[in-house]
PDB file of all heavy atoms in Angstrom:
ATOM      1  N   VAL A   1       0.815  -1.211   0.000  1.00 95.00           N
ATOM      2  CA  VAL A   1       0.000   0.000   0.000  1.00 95.00           C
ATOM      3  C   VAL A   1       0.850   1.264   0.000  1.00 95.00           C
ATOM      4  O   VAL A   1       1.673   1.475   0.890  1.00 95.00           O
ATOM      5  CB  VAL A   1      -0.947   0.021   1.228  1.00 95.00           C
ATOM      6  CG1 VAL A   1      -1.937   1.176   1.115  1.00 95.00           C
ATOM      7  CG2 VAL A   1      -1.686  -1.306   1.366  1.00 95.00           C
ATOM      8  N   ASP A   2       0.644   2.085  -1.005  1.00 93.00           N
ATOM      9  CA  ASP A   2       1.238   3.421  -1.058  1.00 93.00           C
ATOM     10  C   ASP A   2       0.156   4.394  -0.607  1.00 93.00           C
ATOM     11  O   ASP A   2      -0.729   4.761  -1.383  1.00 93.00           O
ATOM     12  CB  ASP A   2       1.708   3.724  -2.488  1.00 93.00           C
ATOM     13  CG  ASP A   2       2.272   5.126  -2.638  1.00 93.00           C
ATOM     14  OD1 ASP A   2       2.536   5.778  -1.607  1.00 93.00           O
ATOM     15  OD2 ASP A   2       2.441   5.573  -3.791  1.00 93.00           O
ATOM     16  N   LEU A   3       0.210   4.771   0.664  1.00 93.00           N
ATOM     17  CA  LEU A   3      -0.835   5.624   1.222  1.00 93.00           C
ATOM     18  C   LEU A   3      -0.768   7.034   0.643  1.00 93.00           C
ATOM     19  O   LEU A   3       0.307   7.539   0.301  1.00 93.00           O
ATOM     20  CB  LEU A   3      -0.713   5.699   2.747  1.00 93.00           C
ATOM     21  CG  LEU A   3      -1.010   4.407   3.508  1.00 93.00           C
ATOM     22  CD1 LEU A   3      -0.621   4.547   4.971  1.00 93.00           C
ATOM     23  CD2 LEU A   3      -2.486   4.030   3.397  1.00 93.00           C
ATOM     24  N   ALA A   4      -1.920   7.659   0.532  1.00 89.00           N
ATOM     25  CA  ALA A   4      -1.966   9.053   0.103  1.00 89.00           C
ATOM     26  C   ALA A   4      -1.214   9.918   1.100  1.00 89.00           C
ATOM     27  O   ALA A   4      -1.059   9.566   2.271  1.00 89.00           O
ATOM     28  CB  ALA A   4      -3.418   9.524  -0.026  1.00 89.00           C
ATOM     29  N   SER A   5      -0.771  11.063   0.629  1.00 78.00           N
ATOM     30  CA  SER A   5       0.057  11.949   1.455  1.00 78.00           C
ATOM     31  C   SER A   5      -0.739  12.588   2.582  1.00 78.00           C
ATOM     32  O   SER A   5      -1.788  13.200   2.347  1.00 78.00           O
ATOM     33  CB  SER A   5       0.656  13.053   0.581  1.00 78.00           C
ATOM     34  OG  SER A   5       1.409  12.509  -0.478  1.00 78.00           O
ATOM     35  N   SER A   6      -0.241  12.429   3.798  1.00 74.00           N
ATOM     36  CA  SER A   6      -0.835  13.159   4.911  1.00 74.00           C
ATOM     37  C   SER A   6      -0.343  14.608   4.840  1.00 74.00           C
ATOM     38  O   SER A   6       0.800  14.866   4.502  1.00 74.00           O
ATOM     39  CB  SER A   6      -0.421  12.532   6.246  1.00 74.00           C
ATOM     40  OG  SER A   6       0.983  12.594   6.412  1.00 74.00           O
ATOM     41  N   GLU A   7      -1.225  15.548   5.118  1.00 63.00           N
ATOM     42  CA  GLU A   7      -0.835  16.948   5.005  1.00 63.00           C
ATOM     43  C   GLU A   7      -1.731  17.845   5.839  1.00 63.00           C
ATOM     44  O   GLU A   7      -2.882  17.511   6.133  1.00 63.00           O
ATOM     45  CB  GLU A   7      -0.912  17.391   3.541  1.00 63.00           C
ATOM     46  CG  GLU A   7      -2.290  17.226   2.917  1.00 63.00           C
ATOM     47  CD  GLU A   7      -2.292  17.502   1.428  1.00 63.00           C
ATOM     48  OE1 GLU A   7      -1.328  17.126   0.743  1.00 63.00           O
ATOM     49  OE2 GLU A   7      -3.278  18.094   0.949  1.00 63.00           O
ATOM     50  N   ARG A   8      -1.192  18.986   6.217  1.00 59.00           N
ATOM     51  CA  ARG A   8      -1.990  20.005   6.897  1.00 59.00           C
ATOM     52  C   ARG A   8      -2.589  20.910   5.835  1.00 59.00           C
ATOM     53  O   ARG A   8      -1.880  21.475   4.996  1.00 59.00           O
ATOM     54  CB  ARG A   8      -1.114  20.797   7.861  1.00 59.00           C
ATOM     55  CG  ARG A   8      -0.653  19.985   9.064  1.00 59.00           C
ATOM     56  CD  ARG A   8       0.191  20.814  10.001  1.00 59.00           C
ATOM     57  NE  ARG A   8      -0.513  21.990  10.479  1.00 59.00           N
ATOM     58  CZ  ARG A   8       0.011  22.886  11.322  1.00 59.00           C
ATOM     59  NH1 ARG A   8       1.247  22.715  11.757  1.00 59.00           N
ATOM     60  NH2 ARG A   8      -0.689  23.931  11.715  1.00 59.00           N
ATOM     61  N   VAL A   9      -3.905  21.039   5.875  1.00 55.00           N
ATOM     62  CA  VAL A   9      -4.616  21.784   4.843  1.00 55.00           C
ATOM     63  C   VAL A   9      -4.140  23.224   4.764  1.00 55.00           C
ATOM     64  O   VAL A   9      -4.021  23.800   3.669  1.00 55.00           O
ATOM     65  CB  VAL A   9      -6.136  21.723   5.100  1.00 55.00           C
ATOM     66  CG1 VAL A   9      -6.877  22.639   4.129  1.00 55.00           C
ATOM     67  CG2 VAL A   9      -6.636  20.288   4.961  1.00 55.00           C
ATOM     68  N   ASP A  10      -3.802  23.826   5.915  1.00 49.00           N
ATOM     69  CA  ASP A  10      -3.377  25.223   5.884  1.00 49.00           C
ATOM     70  C   ASP A  10      -2.046  25.394   5.168  1.00 49.00           C
ATOM     71  O   ASP A  10      -1.793  26.423   4.527  1.00 49.00           O
ATOM     72  CB  ASP A  10      -3.304  25.793   7.308  1.00 49.00           C
ATOM     73  CG  ASP A  10      -2.368  25.000   8.211  1.00 49.00           C
ATOM     74  OD1 ASP A  10      -2.086  23.828   7.888  1.00 49.00           O
ATOM     75  OD2 ASP A  10      -1.923  25.541   9.232  1.00 49.00           O
ATOM     76  N   LYS A  11      -1.181  24.373   5.234  1.00 51.00           N
ATOM     77  CA  LYS A  11       0.116  24.459   4.562  1.00 51.00           C
ATOM     78  C   LYS A  11       0.028  24.091   3.085  1.00 51.00           C
ATOM     79  O   LYS A  11       0.745  24.639   2.249  1.00 51.00           O
ATOM     80  CB  LYS A  11       1.134  23.563   5.260  1.00 51.00           C
ATOM     81  CG  LYS A  11       1.592  24.092   6.613  1.00 51.00           C
ATOM     82  CD  LYS A  11       2.765  23.288   7.145  1.00 51.00           C
ATOM     83  CE  LYS A  11       3.297  23.897   8.439  1.00 51.00           C
ATOM     84  NZ  LYS A  11       4.474  23.138   8.960  1.00 51.00           N
ATOM     85  N   SER A  12      -0.833  23.128   2.750  1.00 48.00           N
ATOM     86  CA  SER A  12      -0.942  22.712   1.352  1.00 48.00           C
ATOM     87  C   SER A  12      -1.754  23.707   0.527  1.00 48.00           C
ATOM     88  O   SER A  12      -1.688  23.707  -0.700  1.00 48.00           O
ATOM     89  CB  SER A  12      -1.574  21.314   1.245  1.00 48.00           C
ATOM     90  OG  SER A  12      -2.860  21.295   1.832  1.00 48.00           O
ATOM     91  N   GLU A  13      -2.550  24.562   1.217  1.00 52.00           N
ATOM     92  CA  GLU A  13      -3.305  25.648   0.565  1.00 52.00           C
ATOM     93  C   GLU A  13      -4.268  25.132  -0.494  1.00 52.00           C
ATOM     94  O   GLU A  13      -4.478  25.763  -1.533  1.00 52.00           O
ATOM     95  CB  GLU A  13      -2.346  26.669  -0.042  1.00 52.00           C
ATOM     96  CG  GLU A  13      -1.434  27.342   0.979  1.00 52.00           C
ATOM     97  CD  GLU A  13      -0.447  28.310   0.346  1.00 52.00           C
ATOM     98  OE1 GLU A  13      -0.564  28.561  -0.880  1.00 52.00           O
ATOM     99  OE2 GLU A  13       0.432  28.813   1.070  1.00 52.00           O
ATOM    100  N   VAL A  14      -4.872  23.980  -0.257  1.00 51.00           N
ATOM    101  CA  VAL A  14      -5.817  23.430  -1.218  1.00 51.00           C
ATOM    102  C   VAL A  14      -7.212  23.981  -0.952  1.00 51.00           C
ATOM    103  O   VAL A  14      -7.583  24.287   0.186  1.00 51.00           O
ATOM    104  CB  VAL A  14      -5.855  21.887  -1.163  1.00 51.00           C
ATOM    105  CG1 VAL A  14      -4.583  21.308  -1.733  1.00 51.00           C
ATOM    106  CG2 VAL A  14      -6.065  21.396   0.273  1.00 51.00           C
ATOM    107  N   THR A  15      -7.993  24.103  -2.010  1.00 54.00           N
ATOM    108  CA  THR A  15      -9.369  24.574  -1.917  1.00 54.00           C
ATOM    109  C   THR A  15     -10.233  23.729  -2.849  1.00 54.00           C
ATOM    110  O   THR A  15      -9.731  22.960  -3.659  1.00 54.00           O
ATOM    111  CB  THR A  15      -9.483  26.055  -2.335  1.00 54.00           C
ATOM    112  OG1 THR A  15      -9.003  26.193  -3.693  1.00 54.00           O
ATOM    113  CG2 THR A  15      -8.670  26.952  -1.412  1.00 54.00           C
ATOM    114  N   GLY A  16     -11.547  23.883  -2.742  1.00 58.00           N
ATOM    115  CA  GLY A  16     -12.452  23.199  -3.651  1.00 58.00           C
ATOM    116  C   GLY A  16     -12.301  21.694  -3.608  1.00 58.00           C
ATOM    117  O   GLY A  16     -12.289  21.070  -2.547  1.00 58.00           O
ATOM    118  N   ASP A  17     -12.141  21.086  -4.818  1.00 63.00           N
ATOM    119  CA  ASP A  17     -11.984  19.634  -4.900  1.00 63.00           C
ATOM    120  C   ASP A  17     -10.736  19.170  -4.160  1.00 63.00           C
ATOM    121  O   ASP A  17     -10.722  18.080  -3.571  1.00 63.00           O
ATOM    122  CB  ASP A  17     -11.910  19.193  -6.363  1.00 63.00           C
ATOM    123  CG  ASP A  17     -13.251  19.319  -7.082  1.00 63.00           C
ATOM    124  OD1 ASP A  17     -14.272  19.409  -6.397  1.00 63.00           O
ATOM    125  OD2 ASP A  17     -13.249  19.341  -8.334  1.00 63.00           O
ATOM    126  N   GLY A  18      -9.676  19.971  -4.193  1.00 63.00           N
ATOM    127  CA  GLY A  18      -8.450  19.615  -3.497  1.00 63.00           C
ATOM    128  C   GLY A  18      -8.657  19.528  -2.003  1.00 63.00           C
ATOM    129  O   GLY A  18      -8.081  18.670  -1.325  1.00 63.00           O
ATOM    130  N   LEU A  19      -9.465  20.433  -1.457  1.00 73.00           N
ATOM    131  CA  LEU A  19      -9.780  20.409  -0.031  1.00 73.00           C
ATOM    132  C   LEU A  19     -10.580  19.162   0.318  1.00 73.00           C
ATOM    133  O   LEU A  19     -10.319  18.503   1.335  1.00 73.00           O
ATOM    134  CB  LEU A  19     -10.569  21.663   0.349  1.00 73.00           C
ATOM    135  CG  LEU A  19     -11.037  21.749   1.805  1.00 73.00           C
ATOM    136  CD1 LEU A  19      -9.855  21.696   2.763  1.00 73.00           C
ATOM    137  CD2 LEU A  19     -11.848  23.028   2.018  1.00 73.00           C
ATOM    138  N   LYS A  20     -11.527  18.811  -0.558  1.00 79.00           N
ATOM    139  CA  LYS A  20     -12.324  17.596  -0.341  1.00 79.00           C
ATOM    140  C   LYS A  20     -11.429  16.368  -0.340  1.00 79.00           C
ATOM    141  O   LYS A  20     -11.572  15.480   0.506  1.00 79.00           O
ATOM    142  CB  LYS A  20     -13.382  17.478  -1.438  1.00 79.00           C
ATOM    143  CG  LYS A  20     -14.267  16.243  -1.328  1.00 79.00           C
ATOM    144  CD  LYS A  20     -15.261  16.189  -2.484  1.00 79.00           C
ATOM    145  CE  LYS A  20     -16.108  14.913  -2.410  1.00 79.00           C
ATOM    146  NZ  LYS A  20     -17.044  14.823  -3.572  1.00 79.00           N
ATOM    147  N   GLU A  21     -10.475  16.324  -1.275  1.00 83.00           N
ATOM    148  CA  GLU A  21      -9.535  15.208  -1.331  1.00 83.00           C
ATOM    149  C   GLU A  21      -8.732  15.112  -0.043  1.00 83.00           C
ATOM    150  O   GLU A  21      -8.585  14.028   0.531  1.00 83.00           O
ATOM    151  CB  GLU A  21      -8.583  15.390  -2.514  1.00 83.00           C
ATOM    152  CG  GLU A  21      -9.220  15.241  -3.881  1.00 83.00           C
ATOM    153  CD  GLU A  21      -8.286  15.681  -4.997  1.00 83.00           C
ATOM    154  OE1 GLU A  21      -7.218  16.265  -4.692  1.00 83.00           O
ATOM    155  OE2 GLU A  21      -8.614  15.449  -6.171  1.00 83.00           O
ATOM    156  N   ALA A  22      -8.203  16.253   0.407  1.00 79.00           N
ATOM    157  CA  ALA A  22      -7.379  16.268   1.621  1.00 79.00           C
ATOM    158  C   ALA A  22      -8.172  15.805   2.839  1.00 79.00           C
ATOM    159  O   ALA A  22      -7.654  15.083   3.698  1.00 79.00           O
ATOM    160  CB  ALA A  22      -6.822  17.670   1.850  1.00 79.00           C
ATOM    161  N   GLN A  23      -9.424  16.214   2.916  1.00 85.00           N
ATOM    162  CA  GLN A  23     -10.262  15.814   4.042  1.00 85.00           C
ATOM    163  C   GLN A  23     -10.492  14.303   4.044  1.00 85.00           C
ATOM    164  O   GLN A  23     -10.440  13.653   5.100  1.00 85.00           O
ATOM    165  CB  GLN A  23     -11.588  16.577   3.996  1.00 85.00           C
ATOM    166  CG  GLN A  23     -11.441  18.056   4.296  1.00 85.00           C
ATOM    167  CD  GLN A  23     -12.705  18.856   4.029  1.00 85.00           C
ATOM    168  OE1 GLN A  23     -13.547  18.460   3.212  1.00 85.00           O
ATOM    169  NE2 GLN A  23     -12.857  19.977   4.723  1.00 85.00           N
ATOM    170  N   HIS A  24     -10.751  13.737   2.871  1.00 86.00           N
ATOM    171  CA  HIS A  24     -10.936  12.282   2.768  1.00 86.00           C
ATOM    172  C   HIS A  24      -9.644  11.549   3.131  1.00 86.00           C
ATOM    173  O   HIS A  24      -9.677  10.522   3.818  1.00 86.00           O
ATOM    174  CB  HIS A  24     -11.378  11.898   1.351  1.00 86.00           C
ATOM    175  CG  HIS A  24     -12.855  12.006   1.128  1.00 86.00           C
ATOM    176  ND1 HIS A  24     -13.752  11.105   1.664  1.00 86.00           N
ATOM    177  CD2 HIS A  24     -13.589  12.907   0.421  1.00 86.00           C
ATOM    178  CE1 HIS A  24     -14.983  11.445   1.297  1.00 86.00           C
ATOM    179  NE2 HIS A  24     -14.916  12.530   0.550  1.00 86.00           N
ATOM    180  N   ILE A  25      -8.514  12.069   2.659  1.00 89.00           N
ATOM    181  CA  ILE A  25      -7.222  11.437   2.942  1.00 89.00           C
ATOM    182  C   ILE A  25      -6.948  11.422   4.440  1.00 89.00           C
ATOM    183  O   ILE A  25      -6.645  10.381   5.032  1.00 89.00           O
ATOM    184  CB  ILE A  25      -6.078  12.172   2.211  1.00 89.00           C
ATOM    185  CG1 ILE A  25      -6.181  11.954   0.699  1.00 89.00           C
ATOM    186  CG2 ILE A  25      -4.719  11.702   2.727  1.00 89.00           C
ATOM    187  CD1 ILE A  25      -5.278  12.851  -0.112  1.00 89.00           C
ATOM    188  N   ASN A  26      -7.062  12.598   5.065  1.00 88.00           N
ATOM    189  CA  ASN A  26      -6.747  12.694   6.497  1.00 88.00           C
ATOM    190  C   ASN A  26      -7.695  11.858   7.347  1.00 88.00           C
ATOM    191  O   ASN A  26      -7.285  11.245   8.338  1.00 88.00           O
ATOM    192  CB  ASN A  26      -6.768  14.157   6.925  1.00 88.00           C
ATOM    193  CG  ASN A  26      -5.624  14.953   6.336  1.00 88.00           C
ATOM    194  OD1 ASN A  26      -4.593  14.395   5.977  1.00 88.00           O
ATOM    195  ND2 ASN A  26      -5.795  16.263   6.227  1.00 88.00           N
ATOM    196  N   LYS A  27      -8.966  11.825   6.928  1.00 91.00           N
ATOM    197  CA  LYS A  27      -9.949  11.044   7.685  1.00 91.00           C
ATOM    198  C   LYS A  27      -9.634   9.549   7.591  1.00 91.00           C
ATOM    199  O   LYS A  27      -9.669   8.830   8.599  1.00 91.00           O
ATOM    200  CB  LYS A  27     -11.355  11.325   7.148  1.00 91.00           C
ATOM    201  CG  LYS A  27     -12.471  10.654   7.960  1.00 91.00           C
ATOM    202  CD  LYS A  27     -13.840  10.930   7.349  1.00 91.00           C
ATOM    203  CE  LYS A  27     -14.206  12.394   7.429  1.00 91.00           C
ATOM    204  NZ  LYS A  27     -15.599  12.634   6.934  1.00 91.00           N
ATOM    205  N   SER A  28      -9.321   9.066   6.396  1.00 93.00           N
ATOM    206  CA  SER A  28      -9.051   7.637   6.232  1.00 93.00           C
ATOM    207  C   SER A  28      -7.761   7.233   6.947  1.00 93.00           C
ATOM    208  O   SER A  28      -7.666   6.132   7.504  1.00 93.00           O
ATOM    209  CB  SER A  28      -8.977   7.269   4.749  1.00 93.00           C
ATOM    210  OG  SER A  28      -7.919   7.928   4.106  1.00 93.00           O
ATOM    211  N   LEU A  29      -6.754   8.118   6.944  1.00 93.00           N
ATOM    212  CA  LEU A  29      -5.525   7.813   7.677  1.00 93.00           C
ATOM    213  C   LEU A  29      -5.788   7.763   9.178  1.00 93.00           C
ATOM    214  O   LEU A  29      -5.212   6.943   9.901  1.00 93.00           O
ATOM    215  CB  LEU A  29      -4.452   8.856   7.364  1.00 93.00           C
ATOM    216  CG  LEU A  29      -3.885   8.837   5.940  1.00 93.00           C
ATOM    217  CD1 LEU A  29      -2.935  10.014   5.731  1.00 93.00           C
ATOM    218  CD2 LEU A  29      -3.175   7.525   5.657  1.00 93.00           C
ATOM    219  N   SER A  30      -6.666   8.630   9.644  1.00 93.00           N
ATOM    220  CA  SER A  30      -7.042   8.614  11.059  1.00 93.00           C
ATOM    221  C   SER A  30      -7.759   7.314  11.411  1.00 93.00           C
ATOM    222  O   SER A  30      -7.485   6.701  12.456  1.00 93.00           O
ATOM    223  CB  SER A  30      -7.940   9.814  11.369  1.00 93.00           C
ATOM    224  OG  SER A  30      -8.382   9.788  12.716  1.00 93.00           O
ATOM    225  N   PHE A  31      -8.652   6.863  10.527  1.00 95.00           N
ATOM    226  CA  PHE A  31      -9.369   5.599  10.760  1.00 95.00           C
ATOM    227  C   PHE A  31      -8.404   4.415  10.753  1.00 95.00           C
ATOM    228  O   PHE A  31      -8.552   3.476  11.536  1.00 95.00           O
ATOM    229  CB  PHE A  31     -10.453   5.390   9.704  1.00 95.00           C
ATOM    230  CG  PHE A  31     -11.652   6.296   9.876  1.00 95.00           C
ATOM    231  CD1 PHE A  31     -12.295   6.834   8.774  1.00 95.00           C
ATOM    232  CD2 PHE A  31     -12.144   6.592  11.137  1.00 95.00           C
ATOM    233  CE1 PHE A  31     -13.400   7.650   8.926  1.00 95.00           C
ATOM    234  CE2 PHE A  31     -13.255   7.416  11.317  1.00 95.00           C
ATOM    235  CZ  PHE A  31     -13.888   7.954  10.196  1.00 95.00           C
ATOM    236  N   LEU A  32      -7.413   4.459   9.867  1.00 95.00           N
ATOM    237  CA  LEU A  32      -6.411   3.389   9.826  1.00 95.00           C
ATOM    238  C   LEU A  32      -5.646   3.339  11.152  1.00 95.00           C
ATOM    239  O   LEU A  32      -5.421   2.262  11.715  1.00 95.00           O
ATOM    240  CB  LEU A  32      -5.449   3.611   8.670  1.00 95.00           C
ATOM    241  CG  LEU A  32      -4.254   2.647   8.576  1.00 95.00           C
ATOM    242  CD1 LEU A  32      -4.724   1.211   8.406  1.00 95.00           C
ATOM    243  CD2 LEU A  32      -3.328   3.048   7.422  1.00 95.00           C
ATOM    244  N   GLY A  33      -5.267   4.508  11.653  1.00 95.00           N
ATOM    245  CA  GLY A  33      -4.590   4.566  12.948  1.00 95.00           C
ATOM    246  C   GLY A  33      -5.460   4.023  14.058  1.00 95.00           C
ATOM    247  O   GLY A  33      -4.966   3.340  14.971  1.00 95.00           O
TER     248      GLY A  33
END
């Protein structure tokens, strides 16, 4: 498994679809933990 990149939204400066992607990534990594 190559996990998606964990990141802080404020540093990655993503918005719109990118923000939605980041939220899904961080949530799934949290669930894995």
Side-chain angles (χ1 to χ4, degrees):
V1 188
D2 177 13
L3 292 170
S5 303
S6 62
E7 58 187 39
R8 291 181 58 180
V9 173
D10 57 339
K11 288 190 175 181
S12 59
E13 299 178 7
V14 289
T15 59
D17 289 342
L19 177 59
K20 179 182 177 182
E21 291 170 351
Q23 291 170 335
H24 275 287
I25 291 168
N26 291 336
K27 185 182 294 185
S28 63
L29 291 174
S30 177
F31 287 142
L32 174 61

